[in-house]
Amino acid sequence: GLHVDLSINGCSDSDGEEMYSLDGEEMWFADFINHRGVEPQPSFIDHISLVEGAYEQAVANQQICRSNLKTIREAMKDIPLEN
């Protein structure tokens, strides 16, 4: 059968999110407060793990996201608002 996977990577100046899901169930997320990746899967399924270094990659992705956010803000600061 077909499966639906989703990944979310987003940031703000003070927060961030990176998460992977499969068929609507959260498979992995980066816990930036406790500095680790979390795999919140129930014990009755075959466990799915991400590759080693996934959390470190999530941290790097947040740095890229914040850099992109800064660039976009600077590029858009002089664009007039339209009705």
Side-chain angles (χ1 to χ4, degrees):
L2 296 175
H3 295 281
V4 176
D5 64 342
L6 173 71
S7 85
I8 295 173
N9 179 19
C11 67
S12 68
D13 290 331
S14 61
D15 201 4
E17 176 76 22
E18 183 147 344
M19 183 275 300
Y20 298 94
S21 71
L22 181 64
D23 294 335
E25 298 294 329
E26 196 169 41
M27 199 172 82
W28 185 93
F29 68 90
D31 181 348
F32 295 116
I33 294 171
N34 294 307
H35 309 286
R36 65 187 181 99
V38 178
E39 297 173 340
Q41 300 164 38
S43 60
F44 58 84
I45 67 166
D46 290 334
H47 194 80
I48 302 169
S49 292
L50 268 65
V51 296
E52 187 174 327
Y55 176 76
E56 291 76 14
Q57 184 62 52
V59 170
N61 290 345
Q62 288 297 298
Q63 293 172 341
I64 293 166
C65 185
R66 288 194 177 95
S67 176
N68 290 342
L69 183 61
K70 180 182 175 188
T71 300
I72 291 168
R73 283 183 177 151
E74 290 172 2
M76 296 183 68
K77 73 177 182 175
D78 294 327
I79 295 176
L81 295 175
E82 296 180 6
N83 292 332

